[in-house]
Amino acid sequence: MADRPSPAGAPPRSPLLGGTRPDVSGGMGIYLTAAAVAGLMLAAVLFFALIFSRGAAAFWPKPLEEWTLDDGTVLLVQPVEEYDTGDVRARTGNREFMPGREDHVRIPASRIVSRRVPEDAVWIERREYGPFHGYLDEVAADGYHVRLPDGAPEVLAADQVLRVEPINRFGAFGRLGLWFRNVFRFLSEEPRESNTDGGVFPALIGTSLLVLLMSILVMPFGVLAAVYLNEYAKDTWFVRLVRISVNNLAGVPSIVFGVFGLGFFVYGLGDFVDHSLLGLPSNETRFGTGGLLWASLTMALLTVPVVVVATEEGLRAVPRERREGALALGATRWEALRHVILPGAKPGILTGLILAVARAAGEVAPLMLTGVVGLAPELPVDGEFPFLHLEKKVMHLGFHIYTVGFQSPNVEAVEPLVYATAALLLLLILVLNLTAIRMRARVRRRLEGR
Amino acid sequence: MTPTAVMSEPTSHLGRIAVDSANRRAPVEVADEAEPIVRVRNLDFWYGDTQALFGVDLDVPKGQVTALIGPSGCGKSTFLRCLDRMNDTIDGVRISGTVELDGQDVYDPRVDVVELRRRVGMVFQRPNPFPMSIYDNVAFGPRLRKELGRKELDDLVEKCLRSAALWDETRDRLDQSALGLSGGQQQRLCIARALANQPEVLLLDEPCSALDPNATAKIEDLIFELRGRYTIVMVTHNMQQAARVSDVTAFFLKGRLVEADRTEVVFTRPSKEETENYITGRFG
Ligand SMILES: Nc1ncnc2c1ncn2[C@@H]1O[C@H](COP(=O)(O)OP(=O)(O)O)[C@@H](O)[C@H]1O
Ligand SMILES: [Mg+2]
């Protein structure tokens, strides 16, 4: 108070009038926490913006430019990137006709003598060797009569050609149409050229099936376990130990689950099913190798802790009066559970499902060991009884990103594919989550009587 | 403890004192010498190591309204919950003494608790409708026993909603969620739900404490309507309410039953000083 002497004769100040404190409304605390949130949001926005813009750009048709180089070479390219060093990178297509069999070039921009965009250039998607850039003269019985960028004639076998797009003739709408066609092909086609070309349909199906099967396996299991722990078990040291173990299970690195799945499900259970149940000869395996079922089971094991925890939370949220109300009406414990408590715990149960799906859809490591492969010869669903083949190996978007991006001989060609696949995986997780969240909102509304 | 010994206790007045019929709100015919339908003898109750009830003896007369009054924490709810064995759902409780319903000891190990709770209905302090439709709430008890056909169930639901004075407000929205009802309506629904089991005894644990005066008045009217058809035991901390609706009042203090008698006697000529202090508001 020495620095604020009251004027002589003035009544003494109330201690309440201590002056304004700068942090009375939160001060530093608010700035600090708000900054953290802002940083987080920025990171999230950047992350999604990058993945989705790159993913979407992968399908955007770029015009074909004709480049004449200083040594007289004529190329028809889709420019990809310009570097600070003055180099440019472009996709040339025509892999089998290029020196070094590469369909990308990286050259100093100064080597380009002239550029133009020829109206009649076409972009041809092919079964092999990636896209063809050039000119189409006619479609004859022996194939597509085309010219290379430098005018040399060639014939492309008809069964090699998937589609011909006169890219340079398209206006904005034409390109948008092509973009949609590209996306559709990406979603609906099988991969080609050891995953460097074509679509991701089998991986999309595989991921969805894995998540679906995982949900079907984990929900009853996790919910029943939670019901036992919360409704029937007394609070003994053993039950507490079980609960701690369940919680710790959530912290185990997922690759460890993969190792367990391989050892227990694939080699253990799978072997048993093959040779003891199905009676296969000892040199034959069906379930004794990784497959859809074992991968799903491993993921179910991985996600069971979140389901148990969320369900217990949901059960605890059911008011005591409501349970007693059911019992007081002459319901047995099981009837009270079945008709009143479990329906009341549904939001919690669905939260468990949401968390489980979110975790499972993004998991790759344990799947590589238990049934997911880079290229599966066939889908696990088909028209043949029993339609869903649990023993078959499947593809997975997450693993696809890895194999395409890091195991492929043609790193430059696949970069857009990696982004597109990543964006698709994110979108799939988002859709799965939103569906579950909407389900939960509906259940909540019904529970609250709105 | 023999019944003769009990007769010397204050509880023995039950049924012997004439009802001052001029004070009654409605001329419902209830036999003065009502048979006790619930007979409690020497009831002790423990939550773990803490004793909550000490040697309670009480006869609940058939077809009448018995009010349990007393300060908060004196064991009214505990006592009430002993009658339909709801305390069985709490861990670590212990009970001794006898509770008889129509002469049958309800704590006999051979007793079917589910059947007991059907015959002794209970309504709680906070309205606790289930998150389902109004119809499904009322039909909950009967459906558990799967005895009724579709038509009979419809009739029963209507009858119970009428009994609970809720039919006119809900007849057009039976399939809507019970949680959309007001607090007072919810509580009447809970009464209707209990009635659907066609119980003999209805236990009400402060059924109006969460309600506004208007809703409270409706519940009181309802209790008065049900009197005679059902035996009602009702906990209340509102003494006017006890005086208005009950035939018999039992005063609890610190886990003991201090006095139980005809309501007008308890409120005009209590035999114990504690009772007088409490009802005159001099309770310390
Ligand atoms: N579930 C319980 N566990 C332990 N003690 C309890 C429990 N319920 C009530 N009690 C105790 O038993 C005594 C009587 O409680 P209660 O019957 O609820 O009183 P009232 O209904 O008259 O207010 C109180 O002291 C209370 O703290
Ligand atoms: Mg109480």
Side-chain angles (χ1 to χ4, degrees):
Chain A
M1 287 316 245
D3 52 338
R4 273 190 280 130
S6 42
R13 283 170 61 113
S14 155
L16 276 181
L17 301 175
T20 52
R21 288 175 199 264
D23 61 343
V24 92
S25 59
M28 283 313 290
I30 285 191
Y31 297 132
L32 208 68
T33 49
V37 170
L40 214 68
M41 278 173 59
L42 195 69
V45 167
L46 270 177
F47 175 78
F48 284 109
L50 179 87
I51 298 287
F52 283 120
S53 67
R54 295 275 187 115
F59 304 110
W60 187 249
K62 296 202 193 79
L64 292 168
E65 284 184 21
E66 187 190 86
W67 290 358
T68 310
L69 304 187
D70 51 6
D71 61 358
T73 317
V74 181
L75 300 171
L76 207 48
V77 302
Q78 289 175 320
V80 176
E81 209 169 343
E82 290 178 22
Y83 298 94
D84 293 339
T85 56
D87 283 5
V88 288
R89 187 157 66 85
R91 185 159 202 195
T92 60
N94 310 350
R95 186 155 78 227
E96 73 273 40
F97 305 113
M98 296 295 291
R101 302 212 141 203
E102 297 225 358
D103 66 355
H104 276 73
V105 289
R106 180 172 170 162
I107 50 172
S110 55
R111 284 194 55 204
I112 304 170
V113 181
S114 75
R115 303 180 181 217
R116 67 183 190 101
V117 180
E119 271 284 287
D120 51 345
V122 293
W123 177 89
I124 299 179
E125 185 172 7
R126 299 182 297 177
R127 224 173 265 291
E128 285 170 24
Y129 303 118
F132 176 84
H133 297 175
Y135 306 92
L136 179 64
D137 287 333
E138 64 168 321
V139 184
D142 60 338
Y144 286 66
H145 289 245
V146 292
R147 270 173 290 125
L148 289 171
D150 58 7
E154 277 292 340
V155 178
L156 303 177
D159 62 348
Q160 283 290 315
V161 175
L162 294 169
R163 55 183 171 145
V164 181
E165 301 282 5
I167 278 187
N168 289 357
R169 277 196 230 281
F170 286 139
F173 280 111
R175 285 203 212 169
L176 200 63
L178 182 53
W179 185 83
F180 278 112
R181 284 201 292 286
N182 287 343
V183 170
F184 178 75
R185 282 178 167 261
F186 179 68
L187 295 180
S188 62
E189 280 184 354
E190 308 215 339
R192 295 192 305 271
E193 296 281 278
S194 52
N195 292 359
T196 59
D197 205 354
V200 292
F201 181 68
L204 187 59
I205 292 291
T207 311
S208 312
L209 271 181
L210 275 168
V211 170
L212 201 75
L213 212 58
M214 178 282 300
S215 308
I216 292 172
L217 292 169
V218 77
M219 288 319 285
F221 195 50
V223 169
L224 287 180
V227 164
Y228 179 78
L229 285 179
N230 206 58
E231 304 291 321
Y232 291 108
K234 301 254 190 312
D235 192 25
T236 61
W237 65 268
F238 179 72
V239 169
R240 254 174 279 160
L241 190 72
V242 169
R243 210 170 257 143
I244 290 171
S245 313
V246 167
N247 286 336
N248 280 336
L249 217 53
V252 172
S254 51
I255 189 75
V256 177
F257 280 96
V259 172
F260 173 81
L262 183 69
F264 183 74
F265 293 134
V266 178
Y267 293 153
L269 268 181
D271 231 43
F272 174 76
V273 171
D274 274 356
H275 301 124
S276 302
L277 292 186
L278 299 178
L280 295 183
S282 61
N283 58 349
E284 230 179 88
T285 53
R286 191 173 302 166
F287 283 96
T289 162
L292 179 59
L293 178 65
W294 302 139
S296 306
L297 261 176
T298 306
M299 273 210 300
L301 208 63
L302 186 90
T303 51
V304 82
V306 295
V307 176
V308 170
V309 170
T311 304
E312 277 206 85
E313 206 68 48
L315 289 169
R316 275 196 286 271
V318 176
R320 191 186 161 78
E321 291 98 2
R322 204 172 275 169
R323 298 156 183 268
E324 293 197 328
L327 296 177
L329 286 169
T332 61
R333 267 178 98 162
W334 171 248
E335 285 165 339
L337 193 66
R338 165 96 182 60
H339 297 298
V340 174
I341 301 171
L342 272 184
K346 257 192 213 157
I349 296 173
L350 286 175
T351 302
L353 178 64
I354 291 168
L355 294 174
V357 164
R359 172 131 202 234
E363 236 7 292
V364 177
L367 303 178
M368 295 165 26
L369 302 182
T370 51
V372 161
V373 287
L375 186 63
E378 52 212 347
L379 285 176
V381 272
D382 56 26
E384 232 172 86
F385 187 81
F387 310 119
L388 178 64
H389 303 278
L390 293 173
E391 78 282 7
K392 279 192 182 165
K393 295 197 190 303
V394 292
M395 292 177 68
H396 184 272
L397 287 171
F399 191 53
H400 196 68
I401 293 173
Y402 174 71
T403 50
V404 168
F406 305 97
Q407 305 279 291
S408 116
N410 194 350
V411 180
E412 280 163 331
V414 298
E415 191 187 315
L417 277 184
V418 169
Y419 281 111
T421 313
L424 180 62
L425 181 55
L426 276 184
L427 216 60
L428 181 72
I429 297 175
L430 217 64
V431 167
L432 287 171
N433 265 324
L434 283 181
T435 316
I437 287 172
R438 285 189 49 158
M439 259 161 72
R440 182 176 59 180
R442 235 199 14 244
V443 165
R444 275 211 182 119
R445 256 201 320 279
R446 247 210 330 261
L447 281 181
E448 284 159 17
R450 276 184 278 128
Chain B
M1 180 156 291
T2 63
T4 355
V6 176
M7 293 310 265
S8 61
E9 299 288 320
T11 50
S12 62
H13 295 274
L14 282 185
R16 274 206 269 119
I17 288 163
V19 177
D20 181 2
S21 46
N23 273 350
R24 297 253 55 104
R25 265 188 356 180
V28 174
E29 285 308 320
V30 174
D32 292 342
E33 301 280 346
E35 277 283 296
I37 183 167
V38 177
R39 193 190 284 268
V40 179
R41 289 294 174 271
N42 200 20
L43 186 69
D44 292 325
F45 189 89
W46 290 264
Y47 288 110
D49 295 333
T50 13
Q51 191 164 359
L53 294 176
F54 300 83
V56 175
D57 298 310
L58 182 70
D59 286 350
V60 174
K62 190 168 190 163
Q64 300 195 10
V65 179
T66 301
L68 310 182
I69 61 169
S72 188
C74 67
K76 305 181 298 289
S77 299
T78 304
F79 176 78
L80 203 67
R81 291 164 59 93
C82 285
L83 304 186
D84 66 344
R85 292 185 57 172
M86 279 308 288
N87 284 327
D88 290 13
T89 62
I90 302 171
D91 282 340
V93 300
R94 198 151 55 81
I95 187 166
S96 81
T98 58
V99 177
E100 287 177 6
L101 175 69
D102 270 339
Q104 169 63 52
D105 180 5
V106 304
Y107 283 91
D108 187 318
R110 288 166 303 174
V111 161
D112 177 4
V113 180
V114 163
E115 180 59 17
L116 169 71
R117 291 186 185 145
R118 192 194 66 70
R119 288 173 59 186
V120 182
M122 186 164 210
V123 174
F124 296 77
Q125 193 164 352
R126 285 230 317 258
N128 60 349
F130 302 138
M132 43 180 93
S133 74
I134 293 169
Y135 183 99
D136 290 344
N137 262 277
V138 181
F140 188 87
R143 272 186 182 151
L144 290 176
R145 281 179 304 286
K146 307 181 179 79
E147 290 161 354
L148 300 181
R150 174 87 216 165
K151 178 77 178 70
E152 294 165 296
L153 197 58
D154 286 352
D155 291 344
L156 180 66
V157 168
E158 177 176 344
K159 194 182 114 207
C160 294
L161 284 171
R162 279 190 196 281
S163 296
L166 197 60
W167 176 249
D168 292 337
E169 293 151 78
T170 56
R171 60 189 309 167
D172 301 325
R173 48 192 287 209
L174 290 177
D175 56 343
Q176 285 176 28
S177 170
L179 299 175
L181 297 172
S182 72
Q185 288 173 325
Q186 288 188 2
Q187 196 62 304
R188 276 180 281 148
L189 178 68
C190 292
I191 294 176
R193 190 172 69 184
L195 294 181
N197 271 341
Q198 297 169 304
E200 294 153 46
V201 181
L202 197 56
L203 310 176
L204 310 174
D205 192 352
E206 303 197 31
C208 305
S209 65
L211 305 182
D212 62 54
N214 227 329
T216 301
K218 282 201 174 137
I219 302 275
E220 283 182 18
D221 285 344
L222 173 59
I223 291 167
F224 215 81
E225 282 298 312
L226 298 175
R227 181 174 169 268
R229 282 189 283 152
Y230 300 91
T231 305
I232 294 176
V233 185
M234 168 186 182
V235 173
T236 176
H237 57 220
N238 178 332
M239 270 168 302
Q240 284 74 33
Q241 188 170 65
R244 276 195 301 267
V245 302
S246 70
D247 302 282
V248 173
T249 298
F251 172 56
F252 281 75
L253 190 61
K254 293 181 183 150
R256 291 171 206 280
L257 177 65
V258 174
E259 179 167 3
D261 210 328
R262 303 304 307 177
T263 296
E264 57 280 357
V265 175
V266 171
F267 280 95
T268 53
R269 290 166 275 125
S271 55
K272 294 283 168 65
E273 198 185 330
E274 292 105 314
T275 317
E276 173 141 19
N277 288 347
Y278 182 71
I279 61 177
T280 54
R282 262 184 285 131
F283 178 78

